[in-house]
Amino acid sequence: MPELVLELNGRTWPLDPSRTYSVGRDPQGDMVLDDARVSWRHATIRWSGRSWLIEDHGSTNGTYVQGQRIQQLEIGPGSAVHLGNATDGPRLSLSGAAAPADAFSAQPAATAPQQGWQPPPAQQPPAQQNWQAPAPAQQPPYVPPQQAQQARQPQQGVPQQAAPAQQSGQPQQRPAPQAQGGDRSPTTFHRLDSGRVMRIGRALDNELVVSDLQVSRHHAEFRATPDGRFEIRDLGSHNGTYVNGQPVPKSGTAPVGPNDTVGVGHSTFRLVGDRLEEFVDTGEVSFSARHLTVTVDGGKKILKDVSFGVPEKSLVAVIGPSGSGKSTLLKALTGYRPANEGEVLYDNRNLYKHFAELRQRVGLVPQDDILHKELTVQKALRYAAKLRFPGDTAESEREARIGEVLRELKLDVHKDKKVTSLSGGQRKRVSVALELLTKPSLIFLDEPTSGLDPGMDRDVMQLLRGLADDGRTVLVVTHSVAELALCDRLLVMAPGGSVAYFGPPEEALNFFQYETWADVFSAFENYRDYDWAGRWRGSPHYQMYAADLDAAPPQSVSVQAPPARIQKSQSWGSQLWTLMRRYVSVLASDRGFLALMVILPAVLGVVSLLIPSDYGLGYGPVSKHQTNRDASTISLILAVGMCFSGAANSVRELIKERVIYERERATGLSRSAYLMSKIIVLGVATALQGVIIAAIGFSTRKMPTQGLIVAKVPAVEMTIAIIALGFTSMMVGLIISSLVKTAEKTMPLLVMFAIVQVVFTGVLFQLFDTVGVSQVSWLMPSRWAVAALGATEDMNTLLPWEPGTPDPLWKHQTGVYVMDVIILVALGVTLALVVSRLLRRHEPEVMRK
């Protein structure tokens, strides 16, 4: 083995053949270069087993030997390598005494992609063990020489190691995967003189105009400080300004140094001397996961040390049996549920740490549709654009972007159709269109072909292939294996959450030594305890497609960062107004809901009329102090009817929009604005229902002779109590909707709530003087509503309990009525705060504070 010494910038490194050396601007690398022409992770140097190799990792400006750009090359003593520029780029000089320099002459190979792994031709595969794998292919499995040299032999009855696909007796050659990340060449340069202020924004009067709808018209400005340094000032932007992934306080400042990155929309800026370099994220970004491990309560690992890298402009499919961690992996990759260990790199930037900035560049299409099916396609996209784009975006700009997306996905002919009238494949296209509004560079899809026929399955996968070809990186989790040939890479997850294979899809079945995917999945089920991950790591495919990622430094583990503050795209009031308008549009489009909203209170009001009563809700004609037990029964029916009606309005509203809320929350939606839009719209609807119930229930009844607040029209203050009860019951419905996992579970809880309210009205039995029961009744909305009605009616006289023990909440006093109503409303406000806290459970975990 020739001894090799590397010299760089006056430093020398005697190279150890047992390790790999990384070269680039990454401070965590082995050989660090502070040169803008050198990429973050530019190249690696390693011993291949028979020679030293330098390998370029997809660097922006290239690696050169004797003026020619190389991908991978044998090097040795006497070799000279330039990074970033063929003539004056940083130079790596190599020397050594064990072999003459011309033994490793650095003649560049052709610029074709580097060759894949090949077994040494002089060696033959060893004899096979006397056993069979379950349902193998016709050809006997090939065992690489490296595996034959291992001391551990495969056990009988379990799958055997496979090798890359063979054709005509020759090993198949494939290009090595592109390096993950790496800085791009600057899109443009801007000179930043001392004393000069450079304003950034979408408007044409800025010194630096950024054509990006994620950027405000006047977004931020660079300025020099008196001590000669520079700072960035946010100008009250909607989507925020970020330094090293952390948000700059709104209308605040942050210092900017030579090693800092400033994020504004899809653009990143770096200060190099007195020059400002701009990098525009056009979609051609790499993506990688390193050592991802997810642990749940009890220490059980449901995702185990997952590493893979995705080249730019590629389509990657993730498949695996149930329980293999596909959904967990998707949540870890998107930041919805960050991994306990490991890191996710978006073009070499930690997604968890920089989530606040990068969230707009990552699109996610869940399995369930992320749109309101009652709206037309165009209207659904309009509301999404209003919520995601800055508040200063003109309507013409939004409409232009919506038109672009509709034409790109061939949805323009369906734009005036309701989403619910579209086919499954077309609805999935609309979900994709919604994500494409903000031009994400990375798109995740969870089971986009679930429930679709084979033809639609193919159409959706061809759509994703087109998205990748247009300059985006697409990762799709799927159960369908019919169209995997359209993908660039395939990730197969094994039971237990580990990687069983990652590489080209056309080589996967040969790797597993089976003819069909059904056989592969059966093997996963029959051999759940088999070390599928170990088999993968011992394969040549692993060396070709994932070994570099697993060689990441130890600090890549446990890098979870505290969540950054998410900047809202619009002001709170603007979001509230947009959400209210959208919610009203959704309800107005649902004729069934509108009919039920009117019919239900009308029926409940009519039911109260079935109770015969000579005196209605007032006193008898003989004496003001005459009893009237029918009044309490009528009050009970009206109150319980309002409880049921109010809760029924809202009991499904959060659960049916859970996926929509989770996605919109990740893009900057305000939780309080979302909840308040529900409360206001449903509150108005519930108030109208209260008026209907009260109007029917009180219209033909004799009323109390005198009210407490509205003396001549006591029905008014009684209607107020009914409406307040409906509001609080509506909040109980939202509580139920935020707790359940499926909409089917809401109805039993709704019925139970109504029955409990009957018991605790205080009308059926005397409960105010029973210790324990009385205190529990204070938590029941019906208790306070009936108490307010009872105060107006003077129910202590109409329904007397034991002599000398009147219900203190029924006293015919103005103060008692006001107290009953205030406590009833306060109970509803308290429940609203509880709903807000419960909504946090349905937000991306990386955002929770």
Side-chain angles (χ1 to χ4, degrees):
M1 181 185 302
E3 175 185 344
L4 195 63
V5 178
L6 184 146
E7 181 179 354
L8 173 66
N9 291 342
R11 294 187 57 191
T12 58
W13 286 267
L15 301 184
D16 181 356
S18 65
R19 58 169 299 190
T20 299
Y21 295 86
S22 61
V23 185
R25 290 193 7 253
D26 184 1
Q28 306 297 334
D30 299 297
M31 304 165 190
V32 183
L33 289 167
D34 187 14
D35 192 302
R37 296 169 295 180
V38 178
S39 292
W40 193 256
R41 293 185 176 94
H42 195 103
T44 57
I45 300 173
R46 61 185 175 86
W47 173 252
S48 68
R50 74 185 168 91
S51 63
W52 287 98
L53 295 177
I54 185 168
E55 180 179 351
D56 185 276
H57 278 260
S59 63
T60 301
N61 296 317
T63 303
Y64 300 86
V65 173
Q66 295 184 358
Q68 297 188 44
R69 186 165 183 167
I70 59 99
Q71 290 290 331
Q72 179 175 301
L73 186 70
E74 294 183 353
I75 56 175
S79 299
V81 180
H82 288 273
L83 306 179
N85 188 283
T87 56
D88 61 352
R91 171 178 171 143
L92 307 180
S93 300
L94 300 116
S95 61
D102 58 4
F104 296 92
S105 57
Q107 295 296 330
T111 57
Q114 68 184 66
Q115 302 301 316
W117 179 88
Q118 299 183 30
Q123 300 187 20
Q124 299 294 328
Q128 300 296 320
Q129 298 290 332
N130 186 22
W131 62 273
Q132 289 185 344
Q138 295 298 321
Q139 298 299 325
Y142 175 79
V143 182
Q146 292 93 325
Q147 183 183 356
Q149 296 172 2
Q150 295 179 353
R152 178 172 59 86
Q153 297 295 328
Q155 298 179 356
Q156 185 173 356
V158 295
Q160 189 176 3
Q161 177 68 51
Q166 305 288 323
Q167 295 182 359
S168 304
Q170 297 297 326
Q172 184 179 6
Q173 298 178 354
R174 294 189 61 86
Q178 278 185 281
Q180 310 313 310
D183 293 328
R184 314 293 173 189
S185 297
T187 307
T188 185
F189 302 92
H190 309 275
R191 187 169 185 82
L192 190 60
D193 299 325
S194 298
R196 179 187 175 193
V197 175
M198 179 177 289
R199 190 170 57 181
I200 305 171
R202 214 172 65 248
L204 297 179
D205 59 351
N206 294 285
E207 287 78 14
L208 202 164
V209 179
V210 179
S211 179
D212 182 358
L213 289 182
Q214 294 299 307
V215 178
S216 298
R217 295 184 62 82
H218 298 99
H219 196 103
E221 61 184 18
F222 282 97
R223 59 173 61 203
T225 59
D227 58 1
R229 301 181 182 181
F230 292 93
E231 66 180 13
I232 183 75
R233 174 181 293 276
D234 183 86
L235 299 179
S237 64
H238 295 276
N239 281 324
T241 306
Y242 301 86
V243 176
N244 299 326
Q246 300 304 308
V248 177
K250 203 163 190 176
S251 301
T253 62
V256 179
N259 297 321
D260 295 327
T261 61
V262 177
V264 174
H266 285 79
S267 297
T268 302
F269 300 91
R270 287 183 181 146
L271 194 62
V272 180
D274 60 352
R275 186 176 66 177
L276 191 65
E277 297 182 347
E278 180 182 2
F279 302 81
V280 179
D281 186 346
T282 58
E284 299 181 356
V285 298
S286 60
F287 182 77
S288 61
R290 301 190 177 188
H291 304 290
L292 296 183
T293 298
V294 174
T295 306
V296 295
D297 296 339
K300 180 182 179 181
K301 293 183 178 180
I302 58 176
L303 204 65
K304 300 177 183 178
D305 197 20
V306 174
S307 297
F308 66 94
V310 181
E312 61 189 36
K313 297 174 63 175
S314 60
L315 174 60
V316 180
V318 180
I319 65 172
S322 299
S324 59
K326 300 188 298 297
S327 297
T328 303
L329 175 63
L330 186 64
K331 291 180 180 179
L333 294 177
T334 57
Y336 274 47
R337 199 290 187 195
N340 300 93
E341 297 179 357
E343 63 181 353
V344 176
L345 299 179
Y346 175 98
D347 212 25
N348 270 330
R349 300 179 64 184
N350 189 296
L351 180 65
Y352 299 162
K353 291 182 177 179
H354 298 174
F355 183 81
E357 176 186 351
L358 299 178
R359 62 189 170 89
Q360 297 288 5
R361 307 188 196 180
V362 178
L364 173 63
V365 181
Q367 184 173 351
D368 297 325
D369 293 325
I370 51 176
L371 36 83
H372 294 86
K373 298 179 182 179
E374 300 83 0
L375 303 177
T376 64
V377 172
Q378 190 169 42
K379 186 173 288 187
L381 294 181
R382 280 175 179 169
Y383 284 121
K386 288 180 181 179
L387 289 173
R388 299 193 182 194
F389 290 149
D392 60 6
T393 306
E395 183 177 355
S396 59
E397 294 176 299
R398 291 195 301 266
E399 290 295 326
R401 180 56 189 156
I402 292 171
E404 290 175 6
V405 172
L406 289 174
R407 288 189 294 272
E408 180 180 1
L409 299 182
K410 297 180 176 60
L411 287 171
D412 47 336
V413 296
H414 304 293
K415 64 181 180 179
D416 295 323
K417 296 180 181 178
K418 284 190 176 182
V419 176
T420 187
S421 67
L422 301 178
S423 66
Q426 290 169 343
R427 285 201 302 269
K428 193 59 63 177
R429 283 177 177 265
V430 178
S431 294
V432 173
L434 191 149
E435 290 301 308
L436 291 184
L437 287 175
T438 55
K439 296 185 178 181
S441 302
L442 181 63
I443 304 177
F444 294 92
L445 300 99
D446 186 11
E447 299 288 355
T449 61
S450 177
L452 302 183
D453 60 50
M456 290 185 178
D457 181 358
R458 179 183 58 193
D459 291 343
V460 171
M461 291 301 293
Q462 288 177 342
L463 166 67
L464 303 183
R465 177 71 267 172
L467 294 178
D469 293 338
D470 288 342
R472 307 175 183 93
T473 301
V474 183
L475 188 145
V476 53
V477 175
T478 180
H479 276 109
S480 175
V481 297
E483 305 296 334
L484 294 180
L486 293 173
C487 302
D488 299 297
R489 293 288 186 269
L490 176 64
L491 175 66
V492 182
M493 300 295 293
S498 57
V499 176
Y501 173 82
F502 179 72
E506 62 269 17
E507 297 179 9
L509 286 176
N510 184 77
F511 172 85
F512 287 107
Q513 297 286 288
Y514 291 100
E515 292 181 338
T516 67
W517 283 107
D519 294 332
V520 175
F521 280 41
S522 295
F524 283 147
E525 180 64 27
N526 296 333
Y527 300 96
R528 298 185 70 89
D529 296 331
Y530 179 67
D531 186 11
W532 295 99
R535 180 177 186 269
W536 154 245
R537 292 178 184 275
S539 70
H541 281 82
Y542 170 81
Q543 298 297 327
M544 293 174 63
Y545 302 111
D548 290 341
L549 292 169
D550 271 354
Q555 60 266 25
S556 67
V557 179
S558 298
V559 294
Q560 268 189 279
R565 176 177 58 86
I566 299 298
Q567 190 79 19
K568 299 177 179 61
S569 299
Q570 299 180 6
S571 66
W572 187 89
S574 179
Q575 283 197 6
L576 175 63
W577 178 241
T578 300
L579 290 167
M580 288 174 56
R581 291 178 58 195
R582 183 178 70 177
Y583 193 30
V584 169
S585 297
V586 171
L587 295 182
S589 301
D590 190 348
R591 296 182 179 179
F593 177 84
L594 293 178
L596 184 63
M597 189 182 71
V598 175
I599 295 174
L600 181 61
V603 170
L604 294 174
V606 170
V607 168
S608 70
L609 297 180
L610 300 178
I611 302 172
S613 175
D614 295 333
Y615 309 133
L617 296 167
Y619 304 109
V622 177
S623 171
K624 184 177 179 180
H625 302 288
Q626 186 173 349
T627 63
N628 179 9
R629 292 183 176 272
D630 293 336
S632 61
T633 304
I634 296 171
S635 298
L636 182 150
I637 295 299
L638 292 174
V640 174
M642 193 66 241
C643 282
F644 186 84
S645 183
N649 286 342
S650 60
V651 76
R652 292 176 180 264
E653 293 308 300
L654 297 183
I655 180 63
K656 75 178 184 181
E657 292 187 0
R658 183 163 296 173
V659 176
I660 298 175
Y661 171 74
E662 184 178 36
R663 181 65 194 128
E664 290 183 343
R665 182 75 175 115
T667 61
L669 179 70
S670 167
R671 183 197 315 140
S672 59
Y674 175 79
L675 179 57
M676 188 57 66
S677 70
K678 296 291 184 186
I679 293 174
I680 292 175
V681 175
L682 289 176
V684 172
T686 303
L688 293 176
Q689 289 180 323
V691 172
I692 294 173
I693 288 181
I696 296 175
F698 297 153
S699 60
T700 61
R701 300 290 190 182
K702 181 179 179 181
M703 301 302 293
T705 56
Q706 187 174 9
L708 294 172
I709 296 178
V710 186
K712 295 183 179 181
V713 192
V716 172
E717 62 191 57
M718 297 174 71
T719 302
I720 292 175
I722 292 292
I723 293 175
L725 174 60
F727 168 77
T728 304
S729 299
M730 180 191 74
M731 299 313 305
V732 174
L734 290 178
I735 291 280
I736 295 173
S737 191
S738 64
L739 287 174
V740 297
K741 293 183 179 180
T742 60
E744 289 75 16
K745 295 180 180 179
T746 59
M747 190 54 62
L749 294 175
L750 175 61
V751 173
M752 181 184 70
F753 166 71
I755 293 175
V756 170
Q757 298 311 302
V758 173
V759 175
F760 286 97
T761 54
V763 171
L764 298 180
F765 61 93
Q766 183 174 324
L767 55 76
F768 59 86
D769 59 350
T770 305
V771 178
V773 176
S774 178
Q775 284 69 36
V776 172
S777 71
W778 296 344
L779 301 177
M780 303 298 164
S782 63
R783 170 63 168 143
W784 298 102
V786 172
L789 295 175
T792 299
E793 301 168 10
D794 192 8
M795 202 178 297
N796 277 325
T797 300
L798 300 180
L799 181 64
W801 297 112
E802 297 179 5
T805 57
D807 191 329
L809 302 183
W810 290 358
K811 290 182 179 180
H812 188 62
Q813 299 175 2
T814 302
V816 173
Y817 171 85
V818 172
M819 178 191 71
D820 291 338
V821 173
I822 288 178
I823 293 178
L824 181 59
V825 174
L827 186 60
V829 173
T830 302
L831 292 175
L833 297 176
V834 174
V835 175
S836 179
R837 296 295 296 177
L838 291 176
L839 279 175
R840 292 181 67 251
R841 304 189 312 160
H842 310 301
E843 299 173 1
E845 189 171 321
V846 73
M847 295 175 58
R848 299 179 191 172
K849 298 181 181 179

